[in-house]
Amino acid sequence: MTSTAQGGRDKVSRGKVSSAWRKRLEIAFFVTPALALFALFVIWPIITAVQLSVFRWKGFGPLTDFVGLRNYLTVLNDDVFVDAVIHNLIIVGGSIVVQLPLGLAIALLLNRKMWGQGLLRTIIFVPYVLAEVIAGVVWFQLLQPQYGVIDNLLGSVGLEAPEQGWLGDPELALWTVLVVLTWKYLGLAVILFLAGLQSVPEELYEAAQLDGATWWQVQRTITVPLLGPTMRTWAFLSMIGSLQLFDMVWILTGGGPANSTTTMATYLINQGTQSQNFGIAGAASVILFVIALVMAVLYQQLVLSRDTRPDVVTRKKKTREVIR
Amino acid sequence: MSAPNAHVLMRAPSTSGRTRKGRSFGGGSPLVYGISLVVVALTLGPVLYGVLGGFRTNAQIAENPSGLPGPWVLDNYVGVLTGASFWQYALNSTIVAVLTTVITVVFGVMAAYPLARYEFKGREGLFMVFVVGLLFPATVAIVPLFILITQNLQLGNTWIGVALPQAAFALPVTVVILRPFLAALPKELEEAAQLDGTSRIGFFWRILLPLSGPGMVTVGVLAFVGSWNAYLLPLLLLQSDMRTLPLGVADFSSEHASDTAGVFAFTTLAMIPALVFFLAMQKRIVGGLTGAVKG
C-alpha cells in the first residue's frame, strides 16, 4: 500500500499482510449483505426460471418430468403468446412514437419563460407518481360504456362511442390501453427532457439569436440535436418498461376481451400462478428475457452507441467548456 | 446506462426548477398559455373527476356522468375512512415501503462504499453485477420468486416477504447512483481521518454516511415510491388483511363494481399519501430519475 523503508522490512510486511487481510474482511463485510440479497432474490429465481422451463411441473413434488424444449415449442406455437409479443411490441413502438413528439413539444413549451411554470411542471408529473393500479381503476370507471364520463362527453358533442365500450371492443381495447399509458407516462418524458434542456448552454441560444434565427430554427438545429442523448436514454427506459407491462393491463382488461390485450407478463402470470403450469411460465419468462436482452443489446449497439462515439464525446467536451 | 458520471447529475435537483434562468426566446404568448391549459386539463381531469365523483351519489353519477356534485355528499369518504380495511391497507403499504427503503438504503450504501473508495481486484467486475442487474426485470423472475418466498422461505403473506425481494430489485439502481456519489467526496477527508487514527470503518460511519445524506435520500425516495406503487409482487404474495393499498384499491373496485362513487372515494383516499409524499419530495424524485437516466 505504501512504499516502505529498507529497515524493519519484516515488521512492515507482516503489517502489510494483516492489513491486506483486514481490507479484504472489510470489503466482504460491506458487500456481502447486498450481494447475498441480490443472489437470493434476483439471480437464483432467474436461474430457477431457466430450470423450470425444461420440466413439466405443477407446483409441487420434485422436478422429474423432463421435457427438454417442449415447453418452448408449446409457448411459441401458442397464438395467445405470439399475440402477446405483438401487443408488447405495439406498446413499445406506440409509446415512443406518441410520447416522444408530445413530450418534446410540452418540454419546449414549458422551457419558455412563463407564469406558473413551476406549478405546470408539478402538475404534468402527477400521473407518473400515482400507482399504475390507482390510475387504472380511475380510468376503468371513466371508460365505462353506460355511466362513464368519456362516452357521456362524446355523446354531448354528437359523437358515438363504441357499443361494447372502449375496453370491451377487441379492435379498440389495446389502443385504449395505449392512450391511458400515454396519459400515465408522458410526464416522465417531459420531466426528463426538461432536465436535458438545462444542459444546453445559454450561449448557443444567444449566438443563434444574434444571427437572427427564429424560435423554430433554434429548436430544430440546436435544442433537439443536443437533447439527443436524453431522448435516446428515455426511449430505452420506455422500451424496457413496455416489455414488462402488467399492472395497467391487468386492471383495465385482464388481457381481454378475447386475449386482445394480453402481454407477455399477463401470459406468464396466467400460466404460472393461476394455472400452475410452471414449466410453461418458465419458458415464457426465458423468452421474455431473451427478447428484452436482444432489444437492449441492439438498441445499445445501434442507437445508444452514438452517444459514446468519439465525435460526440468531443462535442460534449466542447459543450462543457462553453458552459465554463 | 453507464454509471460513472451519474454524480454529475445528482446535482440536478439544485439546478432544475425555478432557479434556472429563463430562455431568451419567446415568452408567454396567449397560444402558449392556451396549450398549457389544455395539457393541465387533460392531465388533472381524470384525477379531479375521481375526487369529485367521491362527493356524489351513484344516482347522481348515473343520471349525469359529467355533472358536478349536487348536493355534495360526504358518505362515501366517511364510509371508507371509518371502515377498518382502508387503514389496514395503508398500514401494510407503509410498513412494506419502510422496510424496503431501509433494507435498500443500508445494503446499498454499504455495497457502494468499497466499490467507490477501495482499490481491489475484481472491483469493476463486482460493480458490473449490479449494472447488469438493471436489465433484469422482476417480471422475468416472478414465478420462481413466488415459489421461493411462499414454499422455500415460508414468507408468503408477510411484510418482510415482500420487502426483501423488492429491496433486492431496487439494489442495482441504488448502487449505480450511490457509487459515483461516494467516489466524488474528496480524498483529503479520508487522509485526514487516517491521520487522526480513524479506521476505514470509522470513516464510513462518522464521515461518509453523514456526508452522503442527499444521495441516500434520493435512492431512498425512489425505493419508497417504487414499493408504495408496486402491484405484481404484492398481488402474488399478500392476501386478506395483509394487502397493500394498490391491492386494496383493485379489489375494492372489482368487489364493489356497481358502487362507482364508493370506488372513486376509495381511490382518491388511496392517492393522497403518494401525492403528499411526491409534493414533499418532488425535487428528490425528479433529481433521482434524471440522474438515473442521464448517468
Side-chain angles (χ1 to χ4, degrees):
Chain A
M1 296 178 87
T2 47
S3 59
T4 54
Q6 284 290 331
R9 184 190 270 172
D10 269 16
K11 211 172 163 187
V12 174
S13 68
R14 210 178 299 134
K16 233 169 144 183
V17 168
S18 80
S19 108
W21 268 105
R22 199 184 144 76
K23 187 172 144 190
R24 260 173 236 168
L25 274 176
E26 285 171 15
I27 293 171
F29 167 77
F30 280 118
V31 174
T32 306
L35 266 189
L37 196 69
F38 193 70
L40 182 59
F41 291 104
V42 179
I43 297 173
W44 195 83
I46 288 174
I47 293 171
T48 311
V50 177
Q51 188 194 11
L52 284 179
S53 72
V54 291
F55 286 91
R56 190 198 318 270
W57 193 56
K58 281 289 186 181
F60 48 85
L63 288 176
T64 45
D65 196 355
F66 181 80
V67 294
L69 296 178
R70 212 179 303 158
N71 286 331
Y72 288 90
L73 288 177
T74 311
V75 170
L76 291 172
N77 284 320
D78 186 346
D79 287 344
V80 177
F81 184 78
V82 175
D83 284 347
V85 176
I86 294 170
H87 298 153
N88 274 112
L89 295 179
I90 290 175
I91 299 283
V92 168
S95 297
I96 293 174
V97 167
V98 175
Q99 289 176 36
L100 184 63
L102 263 184
L104 190 60
I106 296 174
L108 292 178
L109 189 84
L110 292 187
N111 201 37
R112 298 160 73 113
K113 218 187 288 177
M114 64 186 291
W115 181 86
Q117 200 184 41
L119 186 65
L120 265 172
R121 288 178 189 211
T122 302
I123 288 173
I124 197 99
F125 203 54
V126 162
Y128 180 73
V129 182
L130 299 178
E132 223 171 88
V133 172
I134 289 182
V137 167
V138 170
W139 274 93
F140 181 79
Q141 294 291 341
L142 303 183
L143 289 163
Q144 282 304 304
Q146 286 105 36
Y147 53 88
V149 68
I150 289 175
D151 286 8
N152 185 260
L153 288 176
L154 286 176
S156 66
V157 294
L159 291 171
E160 203 165 322
E163 213 171 302
Q164 305 110 298
W166 298 97
L167 295 168
D169 186 331
E171 296 283 311
L172 291 172
L174 188 65
W175 303 106
T176 310
V177 171
L178 188 59
V179 169
V180 179
L181 285 171
T182 305
W183 176 83
K184 175 83 173 70
Y185 287 102
L186 188 60
L188 178 66
V190 172
I191 291 295
L192 296 180
F193 295 168
L194 274 173
L197 287 173
Q198 313 301 315
S199 59
V200 180
E202 189 79 13
E203 285 80 356
L204 284 178
Y205 288 104
E206 281 161 16
Q209 209 174 18
L210 283 178
D211 290 345
T214 65
W215 189 82
W216 279 112
Q217 282 173 322
V218 172
Q219 304 311 325
R220 215 187 51 221
T221 55
I222 299 177
T223 312
V224 174
L226 283 178
L227 210 50
T230 308
M231 292 195 285
R232 287 190 277 274
T233 314
W234 164 80
F236 180 76
L237 288 186
S238 170
M239 180 181 91
I240 297 289
S242 299
L243 286 174
Q244 298 173 44
L245 179 63
F246 175 82
D247 298 7
M248 189 63 89
V249 169
W250 202 248
I251 295 295
L252 287 180
T253 65
N259 290 321
S260 61
T261 55
T262 23
T263 63
M264 289 187 273
T266 66
Y267 180 89
L268 72 89
I269 292 300
N270 267 326
Q271 289 291 341
T273 54
Q274 314 260 314
S275 314
Q276 316 293 318
N277 294 325
F278 288 107
I280 303 276
S285 301
V286 174
I287 295 170
L288 164 59
F289 178 64
V290 169
I291 291 176
L293 191 68
V294 167
M295 286 181 68
V297 170
L298 278 180
Y299 192 85
Q300 174 75 38
Q301 293 296 315
L302 298 176
V303 183
L304 286 182
S305 59
R306 292 176 56 150
D307 296 337
T308 44
R309 273 203 318 242
D311 56 335
V312 182
V313 170
T314 47
R315 198 176 71 201
K316 270 188 182 165
K317 266 186 198 145
K318 271 180 201 151
T319 316
R320 274 196 204 116
E321 278 161 24
V322 172
I323 294 172
R324 276 167 201 145
Chain B
M1 300 218 275
S2 65
N5 49 9
H7 66 282
V8 176
L9 300 141
M10 296 298 294
R11 298 189 211 112
S14 59
T15 54
S16 70
R18 56 205 70 175
T19 54
R20 59 168 285 280
K21 289 174 288 178
R23 295 299 186 207
S24 340
F25 275 91
S29 72
L31 180 70
V32 172
Y33 285 115
I35 299 173
S36 308
L37 273 182
V38 173
V39 170
V40 168
L42 289 176
T43 306
L44 285 188
V47 177
L48 285 180
Y49 185 80
V51 175
L52 293 174
F55 286 108
R56 308 174 77 194
T57 61
N58 287 316
Q60 286 180 33
I61 294 176
E63 196 182 318
N64 179 13
S66 37
L68 287 170
W72 291 64
V73 256
L74 292 174
D75 295 4
N76 302 307
Y77 286 107
V78 171
V80 173
L81 288 176
T82 50
S85 57
F86 177 82
W87 296 105
Q88 183 65 46
Y89 299 152
L91 177 74
N92 293 334
S93 271
T94 309
I95 294 177
V96 170
V98 167
L99 284 174
T100 304
T101 309
V102 169
I103 299 169
T104 307
V105 172
V106 171
F107 286 15
V109 78
M110 282 175 74
Y113 173 51
L115 288 173
R117 303 195 76 96
Y118 280 56
E119 287 193 13
F120 59 95
K121 229 168 77 183
R123 187 179 73 170
E124 294 312 307
L126 195 57
F127 183 59
M128 276 311 288
V129 171
F130 290 106
V131 173
V132 172
L134 284 174
L135 266 184
F136 289 119
T139 318
V140 167
I142 201 76
V143 171
L145 208 48
F146 168 74
I147 299 169
L148 171 73
I149 290 161
T150 54
Q151 297 184 6
N152 304 19
L153 301 176
Q154 296 290 324
L155 288 175
N157 216 20
T158 61
W159 292 317
I160 194 76
V162 179
L164 284 173
Q166 283 186 166
F169 278 92
L171 270 177
V173 76
T174 305
V175 172
V176 164
I177 292 181
L178 279 181
R179 183 201 193 197
F181 194 92
L182 297 188
L185 297 174
K187 189 95 190 150
E188 288 77 10
L189 281 177
E190 202 162 352
E191 283 159 6
Q194 256 164 2
L195 283 180
D196 290 348
T198 312
S199 69
R200 266 184 301 232
I201 292 185
F203 171 75
F204 175 78
W205 269 113
R206 270 176 276 156
I207 298 167
L208 201 95
L209 275 189
L211 283 178
S212 51
M216 291 199 292
V217 171
T218 300
V219 293
V221 166
L222 288 180
F224 191 95
V225 173
S227 166
W228 187 270
N229 288 345
Y231 180 58
L232 180 52
L233 201 56
L235 173 72
L236 299 185
L237 294 176
L238 301 176
Q239 293 92 33
S240 59
D241 272 2
M242 297 299 289
R243 285 175 294 179
T244 54
L245 269 178
L247 294 180
V249 167
D251 292 347
F252 188 92
S253 138
S254 51
E255 283 159 21
H256 303 81
S258 54
D259 180 11
T260 311
V263 171
F264 279 139
F266 198 104
T267 318
T268 301
L269 290 170
M271 275 180 207
I272 291 175
L275 284 182
V276 169
F277 190 73
F278 164 63
L279 289 176
M281 293 288 183
Q282 193 179 1
K283 291 197 166 171
R284 291 279 164 214
I285 296 177
V286 173
L289 286 171
T290 46
V293 166
K294 290 166 71 195

